[in-house]
Amino acid sequence: MPEPVRVTGGKHAGPAERPYDLVLTDVRAVTPAGVIRGGVAVRDGVLLRFLSAEELPRAARTVDGGGRYLLPGLIDSHVHFRTPGLTYKEDWEHGSRAAAAGGVTTVIDMPNTLPPLLDPADAARKAAMVQGRSLVDYRFHLGVAGGDPSPLLDATPREATSVKVFLAGHHTAPTVVRDPASLARIFGYARESGLRLVLHAEDDGVFELLDNWTGAPGRYLDYERVRPRSGAIVAVAKVLELVRRHGTAVHVLHVSTAEEADLLAAAAHAGLPVTFEVTPHHLSFTAADSARIGARARLSPAIRHERDQRRLWEAVLAGQATTIGSDHAPHTREEKLRPVADAPPGLPGVQEMLPAVFTGMRRHAPWQSPGTHLELIARLLAANPADLFGIDGRKGRLLPGLDADFVLFDADTPWMVTGAAMHSKCGWSAYEGWTMAGQVRLTVRRGQIIYDADAPGTFGPPDGRWLDAARPATPAHPTQGAVR
Ligand code: NCD
Ligand code: ZN
């Protein structure tokens, strides 16, 4: 087993310059230019420079990285932290601790709260609710309702660079857009105001037809049959038609089927401004697990079959998927114990995401090195979400001048997931009993240690910031270089 992380004072005096705030030595830094062995030096919350293996400058705090990997702090662009109105399921104190323990230093929160975030002017109000409670930095996706999408036209990049559209979802989404004319208007307005649409692309009409025909599901074995792949595929086909017509940039969330991955990869190849996300749970579970795990693995879109999972892994490993997002969507144990048709879909995942994805990569592509896998993770979980949502000026890469957001990751020490180790307010995990292939040792946000695996139960200050953003570019081929 690697030695525990050692935190010491800066007793090795260097040149007579102002000491750094934090120095990490002996890390394998996962940078855009590859993995670099050495150290990093931080002052005023910013990564100032990389250090050679021999350098040991003066610092208020020096941490020996023990040869472990240092990744950029992860950006989870898909969390539901449930504020306001649903804080009995999750709140920012718990959600951001789960994030920090999972190596996530920035989250972009979803708008399906009570009330939902529909007016850009309310983003500042939401930020005021979060201020002083979050360990991690944050931004919000705006929501939109079918009736009057005109507030989109007023959104500034400060407030949002993205709009979440639910095309289905009755338990958890109060603002499903069903009417094609409204949807077309949303695509037009988003294009006009330079907003990226992030889409829950399942077709409500397909599900309604099936429900009226067969009734709601009575068993978890049936869940995938009544919330089938056709719902997702039909929705994606409609979305591609709208992208073609309006030129709007879209990011399709939680792609669950082989057909969606094919359609979206083909559309990106054809030059449409289309990207997509895959979730850790669609990469980790199959329908057989859903039948066994039941409500804890029930979500929208449903977990699919082995061949879908294989295709999703291919999309990840070949650089077709642009981001991985946790879709951290906690519900209480009581809610999950309801009869099948009433148990709300969604599961927590922001803490499990990095270890689950790394474990899956080791299993699905064992011929590649851990370093190659962590480079891919740094793109899908940091650089690409930063680019897509306009925060790449400060976040997403280990580069001098950017925020000192890091995660020190031990790629060699397996550990077992227990509900007790989870920090989400819901207190359970669909991965309970899983053995993960690697673990988060230390998480640093803007130069402050916010999570240390050697100091269980203690966290840094909850002074995460509401980030500003720039209007993101609309890349024609946003996917990064394939890793083969
Ligand atoms: C999400 C939730 O609970 O907010 N649930 C889920 O299964 N993904 C909402 C949603 O995306 O449907
Ligand atoms: Zn979601």
Side-chain angles (χ1 to χ4, degrees):
M1 233 178 85
E3 291 174 22
V5 172
R6 289 193 308 276
V7 179
T8 56
K11 48 182 182 292
H12 306 271
E17 60 177 20
R18 179 157 78 92
Y20 293 109
D21 298 332
L22 176 70
V23 160
L24 281 108
T25 59
D26 194 18
V27 298
R28 294 166 207 257
V30 182
T31 78
V35 179
I36 301 174
R37 191 88 191 237
V40 289
V42 174
R43 192 181 291 140
D44 300 328
V46 171
L47 168 58
L48 283 194
R49 64 184 186 96
F50 292 107
L51 305 169
S52 71
E54 296 75 37
E55 275 180 280
L56 189 59
R58 276 194 314 147
R61 201 164 185 188
T62 301
V63 176
D64 178 354
R68 297 178 180 88
Y69 288 96
L70 191 75
L71 295 153
L74 304 184
I75 299 170
D76 189 348
S77 52
H78 192 161
V79 303
H80 301 262
F81 278 179
R82 308 299 194 201
T83 296
L86 299 166
T87 49
Y88 69 95
K89 296 177 196 269
E90 184 65 291
D91 55 32
W92 279 80
E93 284 88 348
H94 288 85
S96 74
R97 275 181 219 152
V104 171
T105 51
T106 300
V107 297
I108 311 183
D109 188 53
M110 286 295 173
N112 57 324
T113 47
L114 263 183
L117 178 65
L118 301 177
D119 188 333
D122 288 337
R125 236 193 306 276
K126 180 162 170 171
M129 285 182 229
V130 176
Q131 194 183 4
R133 297 172 196 276
S134 181
L135 283 168
V136 301
D137 290 342
Y138 45 92
R139 284 191 53 81
F140 311 125
H141 297 291
L142 202 60
V144 65
D148 178 21
S150 62
L152 297 192
L153 292 170
D154 301 326
T156 63
R158 176 78 194 90
E159 293 153 341
T161 58
S162 49
V163 181
K164 169 84 177 268
V165 189
F166 283 94
L167 303 183
H170 56 101
H171 283 87
T172 49
T175 57
V176 174
V177 179
R178 293 186 177 81
D179 160 42
S182 298
L183 193 59
R185 223 170 17 246
I186 290 169
F187 271 72
Y189 287 176
R191 169 68 207 245
E192 211 168 302
S193 23
L195 292 159
R196 173 168 271 110
L197 294 180
V198 294
L199 291 154
H200 184 126
E202 288 191 287
D203 193 84
D204 202 55
V206 167
F207 295 160
E208 197 180 326
L209 269 178
L210 291 170
D211 281 353
N212 289 337
W213 182 43
T214 62
R219 307 180 303 164
Y220 285 105
L221 221 48
D222 296 333
Y223 182 55
E224 211 273 328
R225 185 173 56 73
V226 292
R227 288 290 174 272
R229 60 202 306 110
S230 56
I233 299 162
V234 165
V236 164
K238 288 182 180 172
V239 164
L240 290 181
E241 201 42 55
L242 286 159
V243 171
R244 226 177 248 131
R245 193 160 356 127
H246 297 277
T248 317
V250 304
H251 186 53
V252 176
L253 302 171
H254 40 49
V255 163
S256 61
T257 65
E259 291 88 343
E260 285 168 276
D262 287 345
L263 285 169
L264 293 166
H269 180 74
L272 293 181
V274 172
T275 52
F276 66 96
E277 172 200 77
V278 176
T279 74
H281 34 267
H282 288 104
L283 293 169
S284 300
F285 300 110
T286 63
D289 296 304
S290 323
R292 188 173 51 80
I293 303 175
R296 286 187 298 137
R298 176 184 172 177
L299 76 144
S300 305
I303 302 283
R304 313 268 177 217
H305 302 280
E306 250 180 83
R307 81 174 172 90
D308 297 301
Q309 199 189 70
R310 269 200 304 279
R311 180 65 185 89
L312 298 183
W313 272 114
E314 186 193 323
V316 164
L317 294 167
Q320 294 167 352
T322 298
T323 66
I324 292 179
S326 73
D327 193 6
H328 177 81
H331 298 286
T332 64
R333 288 173 201 274
E334 291 69 32
E335 288 171 320
K336 285 296 201 178
L337 283 170
R338 288 179 194 157
V340 177
D342 288 333
L347 52 122
V350 69
Q351 186 175 345
E352 299 93 318
M353 173 165 63
L354 168 57
V357 171
F358 180 71
T359 303
M361 284 179 175
R362 300 309 300 140
R363 197 177 297 160
H364 288 268
W367 58 90
Q368 293 178 344
S369 70
T372 299
H373 286 155
L374 292 169
E375 287 188 77
L376 182 55
I377 284 175
R379 287 200 290 274
L380 287 158
L381 274 158
N384 291 353
D387 293 351
L388 276 190
F389 299 109
I391 53 175
D392 50 311
R394 291 184 60 176
K395 304 284 188 189
R397 290 171 175 88
L398 289 188
L399 278 181
L402 298 197
D403 284 357
D405 295 342
F406 312 135
V407 46
L408 188 64
F409 188 73
D410 180 344
D412 295 316
T413 310
W415 60 285
M416 197 179 79
V417 180
T418 61
M422 296 293 115
H423 295 286
S424 166
K425 194 170 185 180
C426 74
W428 56 270
S429 171
Y431 296 86
E432 277 167 49
W434 268 53
T435 297
M436 298 293 191
Q439 57 183 242
V440 173
R441 300 304 306 172
L442 196 75
T443 307
V444 175
R445 187 261 299 126
R446 278 184 285 102
Q448 304 220 47
I449 295 176
I450 55 168
Y451 170 80
D452 181 350
D454 291 325
T458 61
F459 293 92
D463 58 358
R465 289 188 193 148
W466 183 33
L467 299 172
D468 202 350
R471 182 91 63 222
T474 300
H477 292 284
T479 51
Q480 305 275 326
V483 174
R484 270 293 180 198

